[in-house]
Amino acid sequence: MRFGCRTPKESLHNFEMLRQVVRITWQRCVERMNIQKQSLHNVQSQPLEREFEEIQIPVPWGHISGKCWGSLNAKPVLCLHGYQDNAGTWDTLAPLLPHDISLLAVDLPGHGLSSHIPTGNAYHLLDFVLAIQRIVNHYGWKKISLMGHSFGSISGFVYSALYPEQVEHFIALDTIKRFNTDPARKLKNHGEILDKFLHLDSLDPKSSPSYIYEDAVEHLHKSMEKCTTKGGCEILSRRGTIKMTDGSYSFSRDARLKASVDLSYTWQYVLQFAANVKCKVLHIQALQGLTLEKPEEMDEFLDVLKKSAALYESHTVEGRHYVHLDFPERVAPIISDFLKQK
């Protein structure tokens, strides 16, 4: 039967078939475009060429290691990584920031390539704040800008409150302040944490488990898969593992970091810290990042911070807790514009 002679029922059937063909074709076009966009993203996410220099800063128990992009004479932005991470967390972001901005990313004590503190000692938040001041004193900086991720943000926030006249810019990625915990719950389990620390402190560091490198990356990813990609874990493992004499790899971070012996600050203490911050503040939150704060408490905290800071700027970006590592192009323009402000 010719096209013009079809019955209404046949015409309706052919129309539905045509709609289905168009729908399938469109879906394939969208899939192709998504693949092209993902390919473009993968190209953009590759670290661009930017030379860096490995540094060591002497401290009483050894040294603090780090890597510097740019000149140390240019008063670099001091970059602080998260708990049990290392300076490698900035490897994908640093090349995307303006090259006239110097960056000094350090391994905090007990992390990465930095020395562990002596046996018999525990790590406290203020020890990391002291490490920042040791670095500032070492280079003789009068003013400083800080960029932190997670625990590095918390350390930078406390430093900004304790040394308000020294800090010009404070950039907080995802986390900005110490998490609040219920005092009753904290005290209930704290004895167990102290016992865990004593056990870890008694271990021979040479007895740490070792892996082939790929297994070390996989082991790290299993503990972090909700926060970052396997690629991100591989980058962190480059600086977060050391090669043993038998060719295997062991994690370089101090095992005692697994037992955080710190007690929490009271809520009024946290608010007073916020009231002490005088610098310009940039807070970048990941849409799928950490959400451990009560909204009403976070609102109260930010109200205080906005009144005290010279400037408070906030952005939300798509991504998880390590968005700066996995998708640095999402945060680099925001950070660049913020640091250019006078």
Side-chain angles (χ1 to χ4, degrees), residues 261-304:
V261 301
D262 265 346
L263 291 172
S264 302
Y265 294 114
T266 66
W267 180 236
Q268 290 305 314
Y269 225 133
V270 173
L271 293 180
Q272 189 57 56
F273 274 129
N276 275 28
V277 174
K278 306 301 179 187
C279 62
K280 296 176 181 176
V281 178
L282 171 63
H283 184 199
I284 301 179
Q285 296 174 279
L287 199 58
Q288 291 82 35
L290 297 185
T291 54
L292 303 178
E293 303 287 356
K294 295 179 181 178
E296 62 274 13
E297 289 186 347
M298 196 64 185
D299 289 343
E300 184 181 3
F301 168 82
L302 291 178
D303 285 343
V304 175

Side-chain angles (χ1 to χ4, degrees), residues 14 100 146 154 219 323 342:
N14 289 332
D100 60 344
L146 300 171
I154 297 171
H219 180 81
V323 63
K342 300 299 181 182

Side-chain angles (χ1 to χ4, degrees), residues 30-243:
V30 170
E31 290 172 359
R32 194 176 297 116
M33 287 189 292
N34 286 337
I35 292 172
Q36 291 172 343
K37 285 169 65 179
Q38 184 61 42
S39 299
L40 178 60
H41 167 263
N42 290 339
V43 171
Q44 292 174 335
S45 293
Q46 295 302 314
L48 304 176
E49 284 297 323
R50 188 178 182 186
E51 293 184 357
F52 65 88
E53 175 188 0
E54 288 285 344
I55 61 97
Q56 283 191 350
I57 301 165
V59 291
W61 61 91
H63 64 268
I64 291 175
S65 293
K67 54 197 306 184
C68 182
W69 292 269
S71 172
L72 285 169
N73 297 324
K75 194 180 61 177
V77 177
L78 183 59
C79 305
L80 309 169
H81 59 75
Y83 202 67
Q84 299 191 55
D85 292 342
N86 56 70
T89 197
W90 308 106
D91 281 3
T92 58
L93 176 60
L96 301 183
L97 297 177
H99 289 199
D100 60 344
I101 297 176
S102 296
L103 306 170
L104 174 58
V106 295
D107 297 322
L108 292 170
H111 295 75
L113 304 180
S114 289
S115 300
H116 299 183
I117 61 175
T119 302
N121 293 273
Y123 293 92
H124 302 84
L125 172 59
L126 286 181
D127 292 321
F128 300 109
V129 176
L130 277 170
I132 298 173
Q133 185 65 354
R134 289 183 188 275
I135 296 167
V136 170
N137 290 343
H138 176 77
Y139 289 109
W141 297 328
K142 301 302 181 185
K143 296 283 186 178
I144 186 174
S145 293
L146 300 171
M147 178 164 64
H149 168 246
S150 196
F151 181 79
S153 295
I154 297 171
S155 302
F157 166 68
V158 174
Y159 183 91
S160 299
L162 296 179
Y163 295 94
E165 304 306 321
Q166 288 186 210
V167 182
E168 293 182 318
H169 303 86
F170 169 46
I171 302 167
L173 296 175
D174 205 31
T175 309
I176 192 170
K177 69 172 188 64
R178 189 157 190 175
F179 302 126
N180 299 324
T181 55
D182 176 44
R185 192 181 73 177
K186 181 73 173 177
L187 291 177
K188 180 181 178 181
N189 299 322
H190 209 66
E192 296 175 8
I193 295 174
L194 295 178
D195 286 338
K196 180 179 180 180
F197 166 79
L198 291 174
H199 169 68
L200 294 170
D201 190 50
S202 70
L203 297 177
D204 180 358
K206 297 180 181 178
S207 66
S208 298
S210 59
Y211 315 81
I212 62 172
Y213 184 75
E214 292 76 11
D215 287 349
V217 174
E218 183 63 32
H219 180 81
L220 183 64
H221 184 232
K222 283 183 178 179
S223 66
M224 300 174 63
E225 59 185 351
K226 293 183 179 180
C227 298
T228 187
T229 62
K230 189 172 182 179
C233 290
E234 195 282 320
I235 292 173
L236 290 172
S237 295
R238 296 173 196 173
R239 199 175 185 89
T241 57
I242 50 176
K243 192 172 184 178

